[in-house]
Amino acid sequence: CFFISFFLAQARAHQDFATTGKRKAPAMNPFGRFMDPEAAKKKEMKKQHMHKLKQRFQEAVPAHIVDMFEDVSVSEIICGDPECSPVDTIVRIVYKDAPIKSFGFPMEVEDVTDEALKEFMPTDDVLEGWGRGEDLEWPPLPDEGEPPDVELRFEIGKRVECRVGANKWAAGIVVKHWYREPGWPTNHFAPYQIALDNGKKIFAPKDDAQVIRAEVVEEEGGEESEMPASKAGAEGAAEKK
């Protein structure tokens, strides 16, 4: 009924104009922007840009690699990360004999220039490797760089406690100095990686007593002391099994 009422009101307005020569105020569109002709036009333009980008990408790839593709599609996604662009353009490649892969542009599809295509699309070696089922990184991981020339407080094998909450500490053993995770910027390291007693591994972002401290054990008589390094190493080895 809502649809019919709206269109009948529009028809009556056109009839009044034909008979009186005066146009009444148009009936309110109950669907707002969903029937906005400009919105429909923009959507169609987006589709055209996506189709053109798909063509440009395939034209930039050697024919023997394109033959490995089953399908290529282009879409846009809204990025919720404040450090990335509001809208990213994603190219999705369906390979005939390998897992689906994708790469992106930190911009809307209409803003992807030829220069941006060359900058962000994978190399031929990566595209061909993906087609063979190889798990190749793209974009390539940054160089690790060099860890700081700083002496850390705790040796590998030392029993420690790490802050895992506002007033909560978890015990474990230091298993690595100057830890990195894939994708971290060059020269970005965490001083310690720790294997907790609960089986999880975490890292300490800085060598600070508010973040990581020597494990304190209670001795007979109620006194507290740090666990000896020799015992820490033995217990740590047991935890790693």
Side-chain angles (χ1 to χ4, degrees):
C1 292
F2 202 55
F3 283 88
I4 296 172
S5 297
F6 170 69
F7 288 114
L8 286 177
Q10 292 285 54
R12 282 195 296 268
H14 285 294
Q15 186 176 12
D16 289 343
F17 177 73
T19 57
T20 66
K22 297 181 181 180
R23 187 182 298 276
K24 293 184 179 180
M28 184 182 68
N29 184 345
F31 313 110
R33 62 184 180 86
F34 297 106
M35 293 188 66
D36 180 5
E38 287 300 317
K41 183 178 179 180
K42 290 178 182 178
K43 184 177 180 180
E44 181 59 31
M45 290 295 294
K46 284 283 188 185
K47 290 176 63 176
Q48 293 180 18
H49 283 298
M50 290 176 184
H51 180 69
K52 289 180 181 178
L53 179 57
K54 173 182 175 179
Q55 288 184 320
R56 288 161 56 203
F57 165 64
Q58 290 179 306
E59 290 170 358
V61 177
H64 73 281
I65 299 178
V66 175
D67 289 340
M68 304 171 81
F69 301 164
E70 181 72 31
D71 185 40
V72 175
S73 60
V74 179
S75 61
E76 287 185 340
I77 61 171
I78 297 175
C79 180
D81 188 338
E83 295 185 359
C84 72
S85 61
V87 178
D88 289 343
T89 298
I90 305 299
V91 176
R92 182 172 177 267
I93 307 169
V94 180
Y95 282 92
K96 294 177 180 177
D97 301 305
I100 296 172
K101 295 292 184 179
S102 62
F103 66 96
F105 304 86
M107 61 194 74
E108 296 186 42
V109 63
E110 60 266 31
D111 297 327
V112 181
T113 62
D114 290 339
E115 290 74 18
L117 183 61
K118 292 178 182 178
E119 179 181 357
F120 292 101
M121 69 176 282
T123 63
D124 293 347
D125 289 341
V126 170
L127 291 170
E128 189 168 3
W130 283 351
R132 293 193 297 264
E134 299 176 15
D135 189 20
L136 303 177
E137 291 285 349
W138 189 265
L141 296 176
D143 294 335
E144 290 190 2
E146 295 292 331
D149 185 16
V150 176
E151 184 176 353
L152 298 176
R153 291 182 298 146
F154 303 117
E155 298 177 355
I156 293 176
K158 177 71 174 179
R159 294 282 303 179
V160 294
E161 294 178 342
C162 300
R163 185 185 291 275
V164 293
N167 298 297
K168 186 177 180 181
W169 295 78
I173 183 172
V174 175
V175 295
K176 188 173 184 177
H177 284 167
W178 302 120
Y179 170 76
R180 277 179 57 85
E181 289 198 346
W184 280 7
T186 302
N187 295 324
H188 187 89
F189 296 86
Y192 303 102
Q193 185 185 34
I194 305 97
L196 299 180
D197 293 346
N198 62 13
K200 296 180 180 180
K201 285 186 177 181
I202 63 172
F203 64 85
K206 57 182 179 179
D207 189 12
D208 186 281
Q210 296 298 315
V211 176
I212 181 172
R213 66 190 184 189
E215 183 181 33
V216 177
V217 294
E218 187 173 332
E219 297 180 341
E220 294 183 8
E223 295 183 358
E224 294 183 347
S225 66
E226 292 185 10
M227 179 175 285
S230 59
K231 186 177 180 182
E235 292 194 9
E239 290 293 337
K240 293 175 66 177
K241 288 183 180 178

